[in-house]
Amino acid sequence: MATEQRIQSDLLVHPGVELAEVLELAGMSQKALEIRSGVSRKHINRIIRGKEIISSDVALKLETVLGTPSSFWINLSRNYELDRAKKAAELTLEADAIKLKRYPVAEMKHFGWLPKDVSGVELVHAFLAFFGVASFKILEDSWDLRFNAAYRKSAKKKSSKEALAVWIRAGQIQAQQIDLPEYNENSLRDAVDTIRQFTADPNIFGDRTKKLLKEMGVALVFVPHLQHTYANGATYWLKKKSRPVVQLSIYHKWCDVFFFTLLHE
């Protein structure tokens, strides 16, 4: 039977199309269905014309009258609504694709923050997932709150706020993976001289400093420099954990600039 086959199918159609087919196969009119189910003819007609979906209550009544499982009607309605929502979201993502041009997408792919083999709507989706938001509007409306940081960067060159947002977000993701104890400001101040001593050996400096700062409740993260950020470092707070983050790039590869940036932050 066609209906039984469609119960197993992934084909998404409006529930009204199925209902009209089932009624035709059963030789039942809309009026007869109204009398047998207690569902008004007007509501049945709206379902068949695609103006309404089938609610759980109506699905149970259709199961009793027509013998078609209520789960079939419920799943058909749910899948139809989900499919319609996905298509609407895709249209929005297509319109948003042009906004990606303002962001360093090529660098994000290079560093593995975005998949290298995606484009179009899939790329927009992956980009928004990187920021953990559902739309560009949400991202840009919350800009000041999400990426509020104190930077050490070039005063002579104008930074791209989009590139800085990507750079900070990459650091946030990295910092969120670090299990930090409660922040201890006094211990941190006492540790500054020890950190200075670590700079004598660049080969062990990074690991030792990360470990020491972690004990003080501070996340030290290294994020590659992105073009048009012109940032050596930044400091900000992880909102969820109320923990400070020190984020460094290797914008200038000279040791003195690097160490000064760390101690500055």
Side-chain angles (χ1 to χ4, degrees):
M1 196 174 159
T3 301
E4 292 177 348
Q5 291 176 352
R6 291 208 185 190
I7 290 176
Q8 304 299 326
S9 174
D10 291 329
L11 179 64
L12 294 175
V13 296
H14 190 280
V17 175
E18 282 292 343
L19 181 57
E21 181 180 325
V22 171
L23 288 178
E24 183 179 353
L25 290 172
M28 186 181 299
S29 67
Q30 293 182 35
K31 180 63 177 177
L33 180 59
E34 176 186 41
I35 295 171
R36 289 168 178 261
S37 67
V39 179
S40 73
R41 184 177 177 181
K42 179 180 179 181
H43 189 71
I44 292 170
N45 186 257
R46 284 183 61 80
I47 292 174
I48 289 176
R49 290 189 296 116
K51 301 297 183 180
E52 298 280 352
I53 60 170
I54 297 176
S55 66
S56 299
D57 179 60
V58 171
L60 289 169
K61 293 175 179 179
L62 293 177
E63 179 180 54
T64 302
V65 175
L66 300 172
T68 310
S70 58
S71 59
F72 168 68
W73 299 113
I74 293 170
N75 288 334
L76 193 62
S77 297
R78 183 182 63 225
N79 290 339
Y80 174 78
E81 288 289 276
L82 179 60
D83 186 53
R84 190 170 68 169
K86 284 181 178 178
K87 288 179 178 178
E90 284 181 4
L91 290 175
T92 300
L93 292 177
E94 287 175 2
D96 282 343
I98 193 170
K99 297 179 181 178
L100 283 177
K101 294 181 180 180
R102 305 201 306 263
Y103 294 85
V105 172
E107 290 179 281
M108 294 175 73
K109 287 185 175 184
H110 173 73
F111 291 121
W113 303 338
L114 290 177
K116 293 183 178 181
D117 57 349
V118 299
S119 59
V121 171
E122 289 186 9
L123 179 58
V124 176
H125 187 272
F127 178 86
L128 294 175
F130 171 79
F131 280 101
V133 296
S135 70
F136 273 94
K137 185 178 187 308
I138 294 173
L139 172 62
E140 295 175 358
D141 283 353
S142 61
W143 211 290
D144 293 340
L145 294 176
R146 292 174 59 86
F147 309 113
N148 184 22
Y151 296 95
R152 179 173 186 262
K153 56 188 180 69
S154 174
K156 298 180 180 179
K157 298 179 180 179
K158 184 177 180 180
S159 299
S160 160
K161 65 179 182 180
E162 290 84 3
L164 282 173
V166 170
W167 186 68
I168 288 293
R169 177 56 181 163
Q172 289 176 345
I173 293 172
Q174 190 181 142
Q176 286 167 356
Q177 307 306 311
I178 302 174
D179 186 18
L180 294 171
E182 186 175 351
Y183 172 51
N184 189 323
E185 182 176 346
N186 291 330
S187 295
L188 178 62
R189 292 181 183 279
D190 293 340
V192 171
D193 287 338
T194 303
I195 293 173
R196 285 197 180 99
Q197 294 173 19
F198 289 166
T199 62
D201 188 346
N203 295 318
I204 62 173
F205 170 76
D207 290 339
R208 282 194 175 183
T209 305
K210 270 190 174 183
K211 181 179 179 181
L212 180 61
L213 289 179
K214 180 179 177 180
E215 293 173 358
M216 312 301 161
V218 180
L220 174 62
V221 297
F222 297 92
V223 180
H225 170 253
L226 298 181
Q227 293 184 54
H228 308 300
T229 56
Y230 309 114
N232 294 96
T235 306
Y236 52 88
W237 292 80
L238 282 180
K239 301 296 182 185
K240 291 183 179 180
K241 297 183 178 181
S242 296
R243 299 292 188 268
V245 179
V246 174
Q247 180 167 327
L248 302 179
S249 71
I250 314 296
Y251 177 39
H252 292 302
K253 297 183 179 179
W254 309 307
C255 289
D256 57 340
V257 174
F258 175 80
F259 295 143
F260 178 79
T261 300
L262 172 66
L263 296 176
H264 178 275
E265 300 308 328

